Amino acid sequence: GYSGEGVKKQTCRAPPAVKEFLQSVQVHKGGSEKEVLFATDGSASTQPNGSPGEIMVLNCLTFAGGRNLWGWSNKKSATKQPLDANLKAAAQDFGDKRLEVLTYTRMGFGMDVALPVCQGRGGRLFHGPGNDEDKLQFEFKDYKTSNGEGRVYMEIDGEAFVCCHPQDVSIQLHKQINVLYNDGTPWFTPAC
């Protein structure tokens, strides 16, 4: 499972760091106004903090069997500017029509996924509307691996895939669905 994937990534060929293939992350508000959240060659305040291995867009605790990556990442900003107090206090709620974006660097050999006590290092980037008027846009560099493939590894809701030479990806809310959620409260107590 996850530990095997971690060993493979540590011993074979690790995927490239975010700054090697990602140009910027922007929020387009209502169509015309845009805000740059993250830029690998932008101003000092939007440059990445360190060399993160992944960038994630989250809405619920589905990554790695329900690990709370957003909760673990409440002490650090993804960029060189200090972590905003509102961003630090933001809670993840899958019913709020908001998206959470963070950078993440895994612990070695997939240990952060296999063992809850081993937490990777995450940095919060964005907690904002994912409504039908706003969209997140990821712009990619003209990235080529040593063999010229330009592979960028992506995952959507547990389904992994590879994009070769992506230019941009936009994420926007189109529809909200209702789901059942188990908060741990028993809904039925048998009479004995």
Side-chain angles (χ1 to χ4, degrees), residues 109-161:
F109 301 104
M111 295 305 291
D112 55 335
V113 175
L115 300 172
V117 295
C118 297
Q119 297 177 357
R121 297 177 305 276
R124 291 186 177 188
L125 180 62
F126 178 72
H127 172 79
N131 61 39
D132 56 356
E133 294 178 10
D134 298 345
K135 70 177 178 178
L136 280 170
Q137 183 157 357
F138 296 80
E139 292 182 349
F140 294 87
K141 293 180 179 180
D142 185 20
Y143 164 74
K144 290 184 176 65
T145 54
S146 57
N147 60 4
E149 291 177 336
R151 290 182 175 200
V152 176
Y153 298 89
M154 298 185 185
E155 181 178 327
I156 297 177
D157 200 19
E159 295 296 324
F161 59 96

Side-chain angles (χ1 to χ4, degrees), residues 11-164:
T11 58
C12 296
R13 190 169 92 183
V18 169
K19 66 182 180 182
E20 292 180 40
F21 61 83
L22 188 65
Q23 182 73 37
S24 68
V25 178
Q26 304 168 12
V27 178
H28 293 262
K29 300 177 180 181
S32 59
E33 182 186 342
K34 79 176 179 181
E35 176 186 359
V36 176
L37 301 172
F38 181 94
T40 53
D41 60 357
S43 71
S45 65
T46 61
Q47 287 199 3
N49 202 352
S51 184
E54 301 176 47
I55 188 158
M56 299 180 178
V57 180
L58 305 170
N59 184 259
C60 58
L61 304 176
T62 59
F63 183 81
R67 301 289 187 250
N68 188 3
L69 302 183
W70 183 256
W72 295 349
S73 305
N74 65 353
K75 295 176 178 63
K76 181 175 140 184
S77 172
T79 61
K80 297 202 182 228
Q81 68 185 41
L83 186 60
D84 176 83
N86 293 332
L87 188 58
K88 182 176 182 170
Q92 190 174 28
D93 177 2
F94 62 82
D96 64 0
K97 294 187 178 182
R98 293 179 167 272
L99 295 173
E100 289 80 29
V101 181
L102 59 92
T103 58
Y104 193 72
T105 302
R106 293 176 185 246
M107 299 291 288
F109 301 104
M111 295 305 291
D112 55 335
V113 175
L115 300 172
V117 295
C118 297
Q119 297 177 357
R121 297 177 305 276
R124 291 186 177 188
L125 180 62
F126 178 72
H127 172 79
N131 61 39
D132 56 356
E133 294 178 10
D134 298 345
K135 70 177 178 178
L136 280 170
Q137 183 157 357
F138 296 80
E139 292 182 349
F140 294 87
K141 293 180 179 180
D142 185 20
Y143 164 74
K144 290 184 176 65
T145 54
S146 57
N147 60 4
E149 291 177 336
R151 290 182 175 200
V152 176
Y153 298 89
M154 298 185 185
E155 181 178 327
I156 297 177
D157 200 19
E159 295 296 324
F161 59 96
V162 177
C163 286
C164 292

